[in-house]
Amino acid sequence: MQRKQRLSRQIAYFIPYILWIGLFVIAPVVLLVYQSFFDINGHFTLSNYQTYFSSNTYLTMTLNSVWYAFLITFATLVISYPTAYVLNATKHPQLWLLLIIMPTWINLLLKAYAFIGIFSQAGIANQFLHFIGIAPQQILFTKFSFIFVAAYIQIPFMVLPIYNSINELNPSYVNASKDLGATSWQTFSKVIFPLTLPGVKAGVQAVFIPSLSLFMLTRLIGGNKVITLGTAIEEHFLTTMNWGMGSTIGVILIIAMVIIMSLTGGSKRRAKRGMTK
Amino acid sequence: MAINTQPIVRLKNVCKSYGDTQILKNINLELEAGKFYTLLGPSGCGKTTILRTIAGFTDVTTGDVEFDGQVVNDLPANQRQVNTVFQDYALFPHLNVAENVAFGLKLNKLSKTEIDKRVSEALAMVQLADFGDREISELSGGQQQRVAIARALVMRPKVLLLDEPLSALDAKLRKDMQYELRELQQSLGITFLFVTHDQEEALAMSDEIFVMRAGEILQGGSPVDIYDEPINHFVANFIGESNIIPGKMLQDFQVEFVGKSFECADAGIPPNEAVEVVLRPEDLDIVAAAQGKLVVTVDSQLFRGNYFEIVAYDTDGNEWLVHSTNPADEGEPIGLTFDPQDIHVMRLNETEAAFDARLEKYEDD
């Protein structure tokens, strides 16, 4: 009897969560899938998917999205891992961590506009180039600036999980590795990196998936030189008003994300052992 | 003392400080090849720090660490011919048992057949021959312990350092591992340096024990020497159980305590010097009060299985601990007898060097 009561109370605790998930996650996804089966005139059709898979434009866009998301994630990882590693060795890691997290408190749009100023013809970046004797360059509206700013925005989401996994690493493992004759580099590649892989995976998930659907930065910083699926969705919903096609691309993005999640989360059992004990 | 054998490891005037705190104070230590050494002391006495300076995980503030006569102060850990069994084992969780044992061999770029051969030999040595494919998380504490030993021994080190490796095991397993470690050391002939705070462990396994306190080595010697002739109050108390009674040296081979004069085996101490007298509880025999060299009154007793532990008080109020196979009656007076060589006299504040010199002097006479 008592057990039954406790069970019903536990269910009660879940109600807000279930409501939230239902209203803001499941319902929108269902609506998106439903909408993707209607053409611009409101007729039920499979033509959206047909168009998507037969059109070179969309497939190029998809490849573009994946490629740029990969580049952004890679750049972020290359910067974040050493950062997280060095952070662990500092005296006040929490303070440094706070400094790294702080930019996330500022609105994305504001940061984008700030970079427009920095990268413009008369901006600080070009002033600096002038100072060291290099002629002004076109920085804004290049693929480089797009990847640079996107990586800048994503870095905190990569640093945090990696920092945590390095922080949890038992220092005995490092001593044991050296004791068995490993150099510092061997210790890193054979012990530290494999054991902090769960953090890297979490960081890759947190960066790659949002990077797939970036749309504002492609316009403001990339100058539409880079067209991703995010840009296409925005176009369809706001300009061409072809919501059906926009939803179709949305569904495909969601499927891509699920695939990536299962790929990076797959070997959790083996990776997890580094964290216990 | 063999003169021509060069110590394999020597610490010369080693000091180690972190800021203002001195962890090691002028440590001098020599390890000969093929022996089982133990660093014994309470936690925080610096014994693990000594291990870490030999392994190369920490540098010395002043002094030298020598290996085969060569100063190795600046040699990084990965180039030293020592291996360590860590207190928490530090087995790599992303590798299985065989991969863990093979870790160091792979770094040495040995051939695969050689690696496989040595890994299976090492696992057989610690009785885990069939466990190569197991994951570390699937092993019990005792099995992890063995893997850690195999991983270190497979490197064929000249010295194996063991940092309280048995402290996480239960009592029964611990006893078994003591035997196994001792046998392993004797069959391999590798120098073992074992760190523990457990005096029983140290006495059972070692060829030589170094008793430490607060960053200093108080006394070094064979288990029997240290047990029979502790240099001071701390060592006497730390190793085994003892009755430590204040007394006075009357002359060579004559000491006074509890108001009586007794024949003893100690000499070389100035007459009328205040001393401490050690009598081990198992050296005291219970006789009728009239026949005893000392008369004490039984206060309480505990049955310990193979003996009775009796607590008694003499007329001066000193507490006497007696181990006896026969029970006594609580509240009744009993007599205690002991032989002259059961008495061990300690001078207050005597250093180990002075103690050894005095011992040598009167034993030669």
Side-chain angles (χ1 to χ4, degrees):
Chain A
M1 196 62 199
Q2 226 175 13
R3 201 179 219 174
K4 220 171 182 180
Q5 258 178 359
R6 205 182 306 152
L7 196 74
S8 60
R9 199 174 330 144
Q10 273 174 350
I11 290 169
Y13 289 141
F14 274 110
I15 286 175
Y17 175 74
I18 290 166
L19 275 178
W20 181 271
I21 292 283
L23 280 176
F24 298 108
V25 178
I26 296 171
V29 170
V30 170
L31 275 176
L32 202 70
V33 173
Y34 174 77
Q35 211 160 242
S36 71
F37 290 112
F38 290 89
D39 66 11
I40 199 159
N41 301 316
H43 299 300
F44 180 84
T45 174
L46 287 172
S47 66
N48 289 331
Y49 287 94
Q50 219 167 9
T51 315
Y52 181 88
F53 285 108
S54 58
S55 138
N56 267 336
T57 325
Y58 284 120
L59 290 181
T60 320
M61 238 184 256
T62 313
L63 283 179
N64 243 335
S65 288
V66 173
W67 173 240
Y68 277 96
F70 170 77
L71 285 180
I72 293 164
T73 309
F74 185 75
T76 313
L77 179 62
V78 166
I79 297 164
S80 302
Y81 199 101
T83 308
Y85 195 79
V86 170
L87 225 58
N88 249 289
T90 57
K91 252 193 170 160
H92 304 289
Q94 297 304 329
L95 179 74
W96 294 110
L97 217 52
L98 188 72
L99 289 178
I100 287 173
I101 293 167
M102 226 138 57
T104 63
W105 300 347
I106 301 165
N107 185 284
L108 180 65
L109 205 56
L110 292 180
K111 282 187 282 193
Y113 276 109
F115 269 105
I116 292 176
I118 292 169
F119 283 160
S120 68
Q121 289 287 338
I124 295 172
N126 267 321
Q127 279 174 24
F128 177 74
L129 287 180
H130 178 72
F131 178 73
I132 58 169
I134 298 173
Q137 302 284 319
Q138 177 64 41
I139 306 173
L140 200 62
F141 304 145
T142 59
K143 288 167 183 172
F144 163 79
S145 62
F146 169 64
I147 293 170
F148 184 95
V149 175
Y152 164 80
I153 285 162
Q154 305 281 27
I155 278 172
F157 304 105
M158 184 71 95
V159 168
L160 220 58
I162 297 178
Y163 170 83
N164 284 335
S165 64
I166 296 176
N167 193 31
E168 283 170 27
L169 190 73
N170 182 346
S172 286
Y173 294 143
V174 176
N175 277 340
S177 165
K178 290 191 173 158
D179 189 70
L180 293 165
T183 60
S184 296
W185 170 250
Q186 285 169 329
T187 299
F188 176 77
S189 64
K190 290 182 191 302
V191 177
I192 299 173
F193 190 73
L195 287 179
T196 53
L197 214 53
V200 173
K201 281 181 177 169
V204 165
Q205 278 186 4
V207 171
F208 190 88
I209 292 169
S211 297
L212 266 182
S213 53
L214 282 175
F215 66 93
M216 204 172 54
L217 289 179
T218 56
R219 188 188 307 277
L220 292 176
I221 305 289
N224 277 345
K225 291 241 166 42
V226 182
I227 309 281
T228 63
L229 290 178
T231 333
I233 294 173
E234 191 202 15
E235 271 315 281
H236 280 306
F237 273 87
L238 299 182
T239 314
T240 67
M241 291 297 173
N242 188 352
W243 286 25
M245 194 63 220
S247 302
T248 305
I249 302 171
V251 170
I252 287 178
L253 263 182
I254 291 173
I255 292 168
M257 289 169 189
V258 170
I259 291 171
I260 288 154
M261 293 266 272
S262 62
L263 279 182
T264 49
S267 52
K268 220 158 208 164
R269 190 193 65 85
R270 197 170 164 94
K272 210 177 173 182
R273 290 176 302 164
M275 295 296 115
T276 53
K277 208 193 159 179
Chain B
M1 294 280 155
I3 295 151
N4 51 2
T5 54
Q6 171 159 309
I8 189 160
V9 173
R10 175 190 281 157
L11 299 190
K12 251 195 205 156
N13 306 322
V14 165
C15 297
K16 173 77 188 171
S17 324
Y18 290 105
D20 289 340
T21 28
Q22 247 196 322
I23 310 291
L24 298 178
K25 299 170 191 162
N26 200 35
I27 297 289
N28 285 288
L29 187 76
E30 284 184 8
L31 307 184
E32 284 170 34
K35 282 196 176 177
F36 197 122
Y37 292 93
T38 299
L39 288 169
L40 173 67
S43 57
C45 72
K47 53 194 193 298
T48 296
T49 309
I50 291 186
L51 217 62
R52 291 172 61 87
T53 61
I54 297 174
F57 302 141
T58 184
D59 50 358
V60 298
T61 308
T62 58
D64 284 329
V65 180
E66 284 179 11
F67 207 85
D68 273 338
Q70 306 274 318
V71 176
V72 294
N73 290 10
D74 298 321
L75 199 67
N78 57 346
Q79 290 170 33
R80 297 195 187 188
Q81 283 181 307
V82 295
N83 287 105
T84 310
V85 176
F86 293 86
Q87 185 168 11
D88 56 2
Y89 315 142
L91 296 172
F92 305 125
H94 61 302
L95 304 176
N96 69 21
V97 169
E99 288 166 341
N100 259 283
V101 178
F103 186 87
L105 299 176
K106 279 184 184 157
L107 294 172
N108 286 352
K109 301 264 189 301
L110 295 179
S111 72
K112 189 164 181 322
T113 42
E114 173 76 4
I115 292 175
D116 288 348
K117 188 172 145 259
R118 276 171 70 173
V119 167
S120 50
E121 273 173 15
L123 286 177
M125 198 160 64
V126 293
Q127 291 153 36
L128 290 177
D130 300 329
F131 285 68
D133 294 331
R134 298 273 186 104
E135 299 294 340
I136 298 302
S137 54
E138 293 167 8
L139 302 183
S140 70
Q143 289 165 338
Q144 291 190 14
Q145 164 77 76
R146 287 157 197 264
V147 176
I149 293 167
R151 186 177 68 173
L153 285 178
V154 80
M155 302 302 292
R156 299 184 180 155
K158 289 193 171 173
V159 179
L160 184 71
L161 308 173
L162 302 108
D163 186 6
E164 306 218 18
L166 306 184
S167 59
L169 305 181
D170 62 62
K172 175 79 176 65
L173 201 55
R174 219 156 136 165
K175 273 246 162 74
D176 293 344
M177 281 307 289
Q178 287 176 13
Y179 279 107
E180 279 184 39
L181 272 179
R182 181 69 177 141
E183 265 171 37
L184 212 56
Q185 188 270 331
Q186 283 175 337
S187 64
L188 295 172
I190 295 174
T191 309
F192 276 34
L193 181 58
F194 186 91
V195 159
T196 183
H197 59 261
D198 183 330
Q199 48 101 9
E200 265 180 63
E201 220 164 81
L203 291 173
M205 298 165 77
S206 321
D207 289 314
E208 205 161 315
I209 298 174
F210 300 99
V211 184
M212 291 191 64
R213 183 183 60 172
E216 286 177 294
I217 294 179
L218 294 178
Q219 189 172 10
S222 73
V224 173
D225 283 350
I226 289 187
Y227 188 85
D228 285 347
E229 287 169 342
I231 181 173
N232 61 25
H233 196 112
F234 176 82
V235 177
N237 238 339
F238 199 74
I239 309 269
E241 285 174 297
S242 26
N243 297 297
I244 304 174
I245 312 293
K248 190 169 79 175
M249 204 68 191
L250 295 175
Q251 61 186 68
D252 282 359
F253 308 111
Q254 205 71 36
V255 67
E256 181 193 284
F257 54 92
V258 202
K260 284 182 183 168
S261 166
F262 297 96
E263 192 191 333
C264 68
D266 297 84
I269 302 170
N272 295 320
E273 187 179 290
V275 292
E276 283 180 317
V277 175
V278 180
L279 276 157
R280 296 289 184 183
E282 67 275 14
D283 289 337
L284 299 170
D285 295 318
I286 298 176
V287 292
Q291 288 153 0
K293 290 185 176 179
L294 273 175
V295 178
V296 294
T297 308
V298 177
D299 184 66
S300 59
Q301 68 177 346
L302 287 175
F303 179 57
R304 290 285 191 191
N306 44 355
Y307 63 87
F308 287 91
E309 184 179 281
I310 299 162
V311 176
Y313 290 92
D314 63 26
T315 47
D316 284 3
N318 298 310
E319 189 187 282
W320 289 86
L321 193 65
V322 184
H323 291 176
S324 162
T325 46
N326 300 317
D329 296 320
E330 285 180 28
E332 293 298 314
I334 52 171
L336 297 177
T337 64
F338 38 85
D339 293 330
Q341 56 270 28
D342 293 335
I343 298 175
H344 171 63
V345 179
M346 302 186 298
R347 295 180 75 180
L348 304 171
N349 302 318
E350 191 171 37
T351 64
E352 192 185 6
F355 173 76
D356 287 343
R358 178 165 64 82
L359 218 64
E360 227 159 88
K361 196 160 162 252
Y362 77 78
E363 276 176 354
D364 283 352
D365 291 344

